[in-house]
Amino acid sequence: MAFTFSQTNSNNQAGTYNLEISINPSSAIFNRVLEVGETIAETIAVVNTGSVNAQVYLTADWGPALGTTDLDATMLANALEATVYISATNPEQKYSGSLISLQNQLVISTFTPTEEVAINISLVVPDNRSGPTLLNKSLHTDFVFVAISVSG
């Protein structure tokens, strides 16, 4: 006896989400010379301008400035201590460590559409880095935000 099976799979649809974030300011937030022990801090506003919930990750992308070698920039990025907090009203620390290790750090775990979060980033050259190794060294840094969609 033969067995016959038939299935209809109709009305299939595929779509995409509107995943988008806005960063303000989009220009440099740090542009100064740091003395040993001095802390500088600035805030970046991140807004979920898309239509889905998201998570946001932060990476510090850096490289040597004019007159600084790759090796010297690496030493400076390793020496600089970075701290990242979210929210000005109820600060929550999201990262503390060297600038060189600020890679793919989850800074916003639940980011709903139209929500705005203040990301405060601070940098310091620690007091224990007072030797001549870092004198007259500089680097360029970009803070890269990556959003991924999440359900919920």
Side-chain angles (χ1 to χ4, degrees):
M1 172 189 261
F3 178 74
T4 304
F5 178 79
S6 130
Q7 176 67 38
T8 302
N9 192 354
S10 57
N11 295 323
N12 290 303
Q13 294 182 356
T16 60
Y17 291 113
N18 177 18
L19 175 62
E20 187 174 352
I21 60 173
S22 170
I23 308 295
N24 186 25
S26 59
S27 59
I29 59 171
F30 299 122
N31 189 17
R32 54 184 283 211
V33 175
L34 276 175
E35 299 293 332
V36 171
E38 179 184 12
T39 300
I40 57 174
E42 293 293 337
T43 300
I44 299 173
V46 182
V47 180
N48 184 344
T49 55
S51 60
V52 295
N53 293 340
Q55 290 181 329
V56 178
Y57 292 81
L58 174 62
T59 294
D61 185 23
W62 54 269
L66 186 64
T68 300
T69 66
D70 290 340
L71 178 59
D72 288 340
T74 301
M75 289 173 35
L76 181 56
N78 189 53
L80 283 170
E81 291 182 2
T83 307
V84 178
Y85 285 90
I86 64 166
S87 178
T89 56
N90 188 15
E92 180 183 350
Q93 185 173 320
K94 292 298 187 169
Y95 178 80
S96 180
S98 67
L99 181 67
I100 202 170
S101 296
L102 180 50
Q103 303 290 317
N104 299 319
Q105 183 66 43
L106 179 63
V107 291
I108 306 173
S109 56
T110 305
F111 200 29
T112 58
T114 71
E115 183 178 4
E116 181 173 334
V117 174
I119 307 286
N120 182 275
I121 302 171
S122 65
L123 298 176
V124 63
V125 179
D127 289 337
N128 64 355
R129 300 295 184 140
S130 59
T133 309
L134 300 177
L135 290 177
N136 296 318
K137 307 300 187 269
S138 58
L139 50 80
H140 291 290
T141 301
D142 290 322
F143 293 104
V144 180
F145 293 88
V146 175
I148 61 169
S149 64
V150 293
S151 60

